[in-house]
Amino acid sequence: NRSVVKEIIERAKEEGNGPRRTLIFLSVSGEEKGLWGSRYYTDHPLFPLAKTTANLNTDMIGRIDPKRKHGDSLNYVYVIGDNKLSSDLKPISEGANNRYAHLELDYKYNAPNDPERIYYRSDHYNFARKGVPALFYFNGTHADYHRPTDTVDKINFNLLEKRARLIFYTAWEMANREDMLKRDIPL
């Protein structure tokens, strides 16, 4: 998932269209054990978190949530965190979606009363707890979630591409802005 977006950005840079800001692609481990990798990074960042404009988490963007019973199940992504920490997140994400991806943005897991508390359960949260605006793109859970049966043959590559396109353009917008994202909403 992360490598698809990274490859697109590297190709743009090779063509002379690189971003204004540095982009870091971070692959972490230990998420299921307690967000260990992202906790380590945010406690020992390569670049100061005060200069990190945002974290875009792309954990699980290639599958379909069989429990999602509304809208187009082949044209959606769950968006989590866009209304937290920065009032810039939602307009950037929705603008990129309206221009380039045309996905149904589903905010089910973004609700403050989300019983699964997904916002607090993935690697973006360690950035958020340190004040870095974070946006989590997610396909939802399925019967193979956290099981060895979650195999590559079950990925919907057309949907993965659309979601990756949204993430790319969201990141591109953030990386080419004059200013960092506002940090104007308390955690």
Side-chain angles (χ1 to χ4, degrees), residues 89-173:
L89 281 174
K90 189 175 193 106
I92 291 171
S93 175
E94 288 182 347
N97 184 55
N98 291 338
R99 284 188 299 280
Y100 304 107
H102 311 289
L103 290 161
E104 291 178 11
L105 302 182
D106 191 322
Y107 299 100
K108 169 186 175 178
Y109 292 112
N110 203 34
N113 59 350
D114 169 29
E116 296 190 52
R117 299 180 47 81
I118 296 290
Y119 180 72
Y120 304 96
R121 292 178 31 201
S122 195
D123 289 303
H124 63 279
Y125 182 69
N126 278 317
F127 288 86
R129 75 179 176 86
K130 297 277 187 158
V132 177
L135 197 53
F136 180 24
Y137 295 99
F138 180 55
N139 56 219
T141 59
H142 44 73
D144 301 307
Y145 182 62
H146 287 168
R147 298 185 188 279
T149 55
D150 191 6
T151 55
V152 71
D153 58 296
K154 295 175 182 169
I155 292 174
N156 179 320
F157 285 98
N158 289 329
L159 187 53
L160 171 68
E161 184 274 331
K162 287 184 82 171
R163 290 170 174 163
R165 185 178 333 133
L166 170 60
I167 295 161
F168 165 79
Y169 282 111
T170 301
W172 199 253
E173 169 68 24

Side-chain angles (χ1 to χ4, degrees), residues 46-91:
L46 183 60
F47 294 96
L49 295 179
K51 293 186 176 190
T52 301
T53 197
N55 171 263
L56 300 181
N57 186 4
T58 61
D59 188 15
M60 295 176 50
I61 63 166
R63 297 276 306 262
I64 295 169
D65 180 355
K67 296 179 299 297
R68 187 173 189 268
K69 301 297 182 197
H70 65 281
D72 185 347
S73 64
L74 295 177
N75 194 50
Y76 79 96
V77 67
Y78 291 118
V79 178
I80 305 160
D82 74 333
N83 63 345
K84 297 166 178 54
L85 299 175
S86 176
S87 61
D88 289 333
L89 281 174
K90 189 175 193 106

